[in-house]
Amino acid sequence: MNDLLLTHPFTDVKKRILELSEQIKDSGMVHIHAPANLSGLLALSMLESAFLDTGMKYRRRFLPSDQHIPRDERRQPQLPKDGLLIFIAPFEDTWKLDELPKTDYIHITPLSVSVRLGSNQSERRGALDVVAQCAALAAQMVPNGQKVRLLRPFASTGLWLREALDTTFDPIHTAVRDHLREEGSFRIVPLPEVPSPAPGMIPGLSERMLSRLQKGWQKMDIDSRSAALSELILPTLTHPSLSTPRLEELVWHRLMIGTSDVDVMSQIFLTENEWPEDSGAAKIHASKLADSFLKTGLLLHS
């Protein structure tokens, strides 16, 4: 694996990640608390993978997700009697690093970071989500751990779950995605090269036309493929529920892992749709799914 901390999105937070890594290593016992939603599960699992690889003592706990907490209430961390608490808050407001309050626990929350793009190095700001932070933290603790490497392809999925791509191009997501591709965590393919993409991800897309395109894709040249894809997605362009940046990702940048027939974003989509609404059921579901995820490196199996 290549070092995520050397990428532009992590420039502002590199020092913090290194310090947190040492703080965790120095603790005898770690408690990980995260909400029982998909972002919480992904972030928690990244850290748990490192603890399993190193043999560190830990306990995990899934908390009620934000949708089960009244809007006027703020989730308060419950400090354990022994050990270090890591409190993961995926959908808390984005903090500037220098404004993050001092706490008796490790607070993993979205952080505002800057990246510089293009030949003129223009600055763009965005939010570095908790899943990417936890993936970088896990890799820092055990760079080539078996479990850490197994979950690595999902390091950019927290950014996908955030709303940034619903409005504009997200430089943070693109930078992390490209880094993971270059290190070989996954390969990027266009939609017709995904054997079993989840239906319903692109409103207005003809599944029948996609199926026909998949069958003839390998025999087509580049120009024919481009024309066919343009025809396929034309009816989706006016659909208000899907932004152009997200549509481009779903059409041109599907993330494939190993021999799995289901791309990463399809796994995310299907897992979210199957998530229980009941608070108690969601916590049980999250725990069982985390166990499976840590064993297989997949949220679902093709």
Side-chain angles (χ1 to χ4, degrees):
M1 297 187 301
N2 297 332
D3 192 351
L4 268 175
L5 297 185
L6 298 180
T7 62
H8 292 300
F10 282 88
T11 300
D12 295 345
V13 301
K14 179 179 179 179
K15 181 181 178 182
R16 172 176 167 80
I17 296 293
L18 293 173
E19 290 174 348
L20 294 183
S21 174
E22 292 304 314
Q23 185 179 357
I24 293 171
K25 289 178 182 178
D26 290 341
S27 64
M29 177 72 180
V30 178
H31 300 259
I32 327 170
H33 292 183
N37 54 37
L38 185 50
S39 292
L41 177 144
L42 290 164
L44 180 148
S45 297
M46 293 293 172
L47 294 179
E48 189 171 353
S49 69
F51 300 156
L52 290 171
D53 281 335
T54 59
M56 179 174 289
K57 293 182 180 180
Y58 74 95
R59 291 175 184 166
R60 75 180 185 207
R61 180 183 177 190
F62 283 105
L63 309 172
S65 62
D66 293 345
Q67 70 184 68
H68 296 114
I69 297 177
R71 291 187 177 182
D72 58 346
E73 289 187 16
R74 180 183 175 88
R75 191 193 308 275
Q76 296 297 327
Q78 298 180 0
L79 294 176
K81 294 181 180 179
D82 63 323
L84 174 68
L85 172 63
I86 302 177
F87 183 75
I88 301 171
F91 295 106
E92 193 171 294
D93 290 341
T94 301
W95 287 85
K96 291 183 179 180
L97 190 58
D98 58 359
E99 296 178 355
L100 200 61
K102 299 288 185 180
T103 60
D104 294 328
Y105 56 91
I106 291 178
H107 186 194
I108 308 292
T109 186
L111 295 174
S112 177
V113 297
S114 63
V115 294
R116 296 190 177 277
L117 303 173
S119 57
N120 59 356
Q121 291 291 285
S122 59
E123 184 179 87
R124 295 281 296 273
R125 298 201 69 84
L128 187 63
D129 78 293
V130 299
V131 180
Q133 290 180 55
C134 288
L137 188 51
Q140 186 60 37
M141 288 188 286
V142 50
N144 289 300
Q146 182 181 4
K147 295 290 187 183
V148 170
R149 292 178 65 89
L150 186 66
L151 303 195
R152 182 77 162 190
F154 287 81
S156 66
T157 53
L159 293 158
W160 176 260
L161 288 166
R162 291 180 62 84
E163 296 178 353
L165 277 170
D166 292 332
T167 55
T168 185
F169 164 75
D170 183 1
I172 311 298
H173 172 266
T174 301
V176 175
R177 181 203 68 198
D178 289 349
H179 175 87
L180 296 173
R181 177 199 60 193
E182 290 166 6
E183 73 176 18
S185 288
F186 49 63
R187 62 190 187 279
I188 296 180
V189 303
L191 175 58
E193 294 183 22
V194 180
S196 300
M201 292 187 73
I202 305 178
L205 184 78
S206 170
E207 301 292 343
R208 181 178 297 179
M209 186 180 294
L210 173 59
S211 179
R212 290 202 305 267
L213 181 56
Q214 287 174 317
K215 292 177 181 178
W217 186 257
Q218 296 303 325
K219 300 177 182 179
M220 301 169 70
D221 59 26
I222 294 178
D223 291 337
S224 298
R225 288 179 174 183
S226 180
L229 266 181
S230 296
E231 182 181 358
L232 176 69
I233 67 172
L234 184 61
T236 72
L237 296 176
T238 58
H239 206 284
S241 67
L242 196 64
S243 68
T244 299
R246 197 173 286 275
L247 177 62
E248 289 180 354
E249 291 294 310
L250 290 173
V251 173
W252 294 105
H253 300 132
R254 294 290 181 122
L255 316 181
M256 300 298 297
I257 308 171
T259 59
S260 175
D261 288 343
V262 185
D263 66 284
V264 169
M265 299 319 173
S266 289
Q267 292 188 46
I268 293 292
F269 176 78
L270 293 171
T271 302
E272 266 203 307
N273 285 350
E274 295 171 359
W275 206 271
E277 293 187 5
D278 176 75
S279 178
K283 289 192 286 186
I284 295 172
H285 178 77
S287 185
K288 290 181 178 179
L289 184 56
D291 289 340
S292 173
F293 186 41
L294 285 159
K295 289 178 181 177
T296 66
L298 300 171
L299 291 173
L300 52 87
H301 305 280
S302 54

